[in-house]
Amino acid sequence: MKSLFVDASKCTGCLSCEVACSQRNEGVSGREEARIHVVLDIFGGDNEIQYCRQCKKAKCAEACPVGAISFQSDAGYWLLDEDACTQCGACVEACPFTGVFQSRATNKVLKCHTCQGEPACVEACAKNGHRALIFGDLNDPNSEISLRIRSVTSTQLRADLGLDTGISFVGI
Amino acid sequence: MQSAKTFAQIESRYFYLLVALGALVAGAGMLAAHYMESHGHVVTGMNNQIVWGMPHVFAIFMIVAASGVLNVASIGSVFGKYVYKARGPLAGLLSIALLAGGLTVLMLDLGRPDRVIVAATNYNPTSVFAWNVLLYSGLFATVALYLWTMMEKRMNPWSRPAGLLVFVWRIILTTGTGLIFAFLVARQAYASAVLPPMFIVLSFAWGLAVFLIVQSVMFSWNELELNPDIQKRLKNLLGTFIVAALYFVVAYHLTNLYFAKQVAFEHFILFDGGIYPWLFWGGYLVVGTLLPLLLIYAPGMGQRRCVLAASLLTIVGAFSLLYVFIIGGQAFPLDIFPGYQVVSSSFGDGQIGHYAPSLPEITLGAGGLAIAFLITTVGVRALNFLPHDDPKTAQHD
């Protein structure tokens, strides 16, 4: 199964991930339209990254009244059906990680679907040499993401909610 | 029937004026919705942290009051009290009117109204929001049925079972409204099992307050005086509901204060959260609870004007409490790192959400109220909803 690994300590705050995301998914270069948000800590340098954690037990999918968010089991991500979405914002309200966004310009709900297996944010981050984001196959023990996860002690946030987040990250 | 005839004659002078006024505000609300739909949430005070704003305060007030106003009818039909039975049809009309107003605001503010058909044809059983879609539309149907059984003589024998159905339905509905918040595990403020019963009791107070205002206006227009025994009974009922609502609000905050993880939130809401403590202590507690109780129970008080003022203040308190609960609850930062001491963070996990209601939001909310007003005005004009009291029965009931 494909998954995303985030090392926030390597994030320099260049925002290329946001630009790449909004360009690929919305056709515009706007932070407001991105599905990944970097909140800059200008003085401390502890930039933090808001994004969908692809929880196994996703509260957004549970809350959606029309069932517009469905799990793509083979690819390991939750897909928001934009044609079915009524933009009610229930998913935004339900996400404990502020990982689902609603564009203030278009009201469109923006939720990461890992660009259906080829995330633009990861490509942009790697291109800039930061490698704060790594995407790969967890089932392959020799993949970069598997090696990286084995080399660090990662933590699951809000384990009390039993969401079983599908994304690993360090450097919080 | 004399009173009904008189009513039609007197209010006809004002009817078209009232309808025009209601239509004007409702139209302004529609324009506001269109403006927000075309320009996006950027023209509102809402953002990614505060997703539900001022329109939701209006909408939830109307939906909760729509359920609570039926209490008047339930006491009559289910519990057999004649005084309340005479008020059943008006309670039913108000319920439908408030629900229509509240749902209009919700539909126009939450997302895309053009996709309402999707909400009607796609159903996610795990979503408490989807449950409420069924419960709200079901209330329309059950209240319409109830009105039919009350207002058509040959259907009268069925009014008791219909009333029982409405009673059960509205208790479930208001439980569902409370659960919308209680199920939001992401929001620390709402993590309480007391929310569903609290909303039920709040609905009793708010619904009765709306009912008493409308009834008072109808009696004034008809130059009728409400029987003093009935007046006393209704004002005591309002007082009881206000106290019961206060009990639940106090229980909610006290239990929160008992849990260490909620103390920061309680401090925010009750003491250092800016507008929220002002609205809670001043708006809800003083203006919306203590003053109405004074107007109802203090020696020399309790007359028609006092009860009317108490009802109006109860509604002011309702709006204050909902603003604190809905917007204050979202403004308090998410606890993304429980168990961790966040040394420094610029993330949303430590920041108070900022919200300032915008004019279009308030106009949309007022538009919802205007729709409820229009339905009520046209309803009481077209059909005989004026409560007819028999003084003898009122004394013995």
Side-chain angles (χ1 to χ4, degrees), chain B residues 36 49 124 138 148 162 169 238 266 323 356 375:
Chain B
M36 289 189 283
Q49 187 173 342
N124 177 11
W148 182 33
W169 196 279
L238 180 65
E266 286 299 323
Y323 192 96
I375 294 173

Side-chain angles (χ1 to χ4, degrees), chain A residues 39-40 46 48 50 61-65 82 84-88 93-94 96 98 100-102 104-105 107 155 158, chain B residues 40-42 44 46 48 51 110-112 115 118 122 124 126-127 129 186-187 330 334-335 338 340 344-347:
Chain A
V39 184
L40 299 171
D46 294 328
E48 301 201 37
Q50 293 176 315
E62 190 181 289
C64 178
E82 291 175 3
C85 176
T86 60
Q87 300 176 357
C88 70
E93 194 72 61
T98 54
V100 185
F101 310 98
Q102 191 159 14
R104 296 192 75 207
N107 296 350
T155 309
R158 297 304 317 253
Chain B
H41 277 175
V42 73
T44 71
M46 292 180 278
N48 219 62
V51 183
L110 284 178
R112 301 179 53 166
R115 288 192 182 173
V118 178
N122 290 268
N124 177 11
T126 66
S127 170
F129 299 92
R187 303 285 180 171
Q330 295 172 95
L334 291 184
D335 188 14
Y340 291 84
S344 73
S345 172
S346 59
F347 198 23

Side-chain angles (χ1 to χ4, degrees), chain B residues 262-380:
Chain B
Q262 300 284 47
V263 169
F265 163 70
E266 286 299 323
H267 264 272
F268 173 72
I269 288 294
L270 300 180
F271 302 111
D272 54 16
I275 183 77
Y276 305 111
W278 282 104
L279 280 176
F280 180 81
W281 296 106
Y284 169 68
L285 195 70
V286 176
V287 176
T289 301
L290 298 180
L291 267 179
L293 289 177
L294 202 69
L295 286 164
I296 291 169
Y297 291 120
M301 302 282 190
Q303 294 86 11
R304 193 184 68 83
R305 283 177 191 277
C306 292
V307 176
L308 180 62
S311 303
L312 286 166
L313 292 177
T314 302
I315 291 173
V316 172
F319 273 84
S320 302
L321 183 69
L322 281 175
Y323 192 96
V324 171
F325 181 77
I326 296 171
I327 298 170
Q330 295 172 95
F332 190 72
L334 291 184
D335 188 14
I336 296 177
F337 305 111
Y340 291 84
Q341 186 179 0
V342 181
V343 179
S344 73
S345 172
S346 59
F347 198 23
D349 56 290
Q351 293 177 347
I352 303 294
H354 175 71
Y355 175 80
S358 64
L359 185 63
E361 288 174 272
I362 296 168
T363 311
L364 173 58
L369 282 179
I371 287 172
F373 174 79
L374 272 174
I375 294 173
T376 308
T377 308
V378 173
V380 298

Side-chain angles (χ1 to χ4, degrees), chain B residues 100-139:
Chain B
L103 292 183
T104 304
V105 175
L106 267 193
M107 198 177 72
L108 291 175
D109 180 66
L110 284 178
R112 301 179 53 166
D114 57 310
R115 288 192 182 173
V116 71
I117 191 71
V118 178
T121 52
N122 290 268
Y123 191 77
N124 177 11
T126 66
S127 170
V128 68
F129 299 92
W131 301 354
N132 280 281
V133 170
L134 268 189
L135 289 170
Y136 295 156
S137 44
L139 190 69

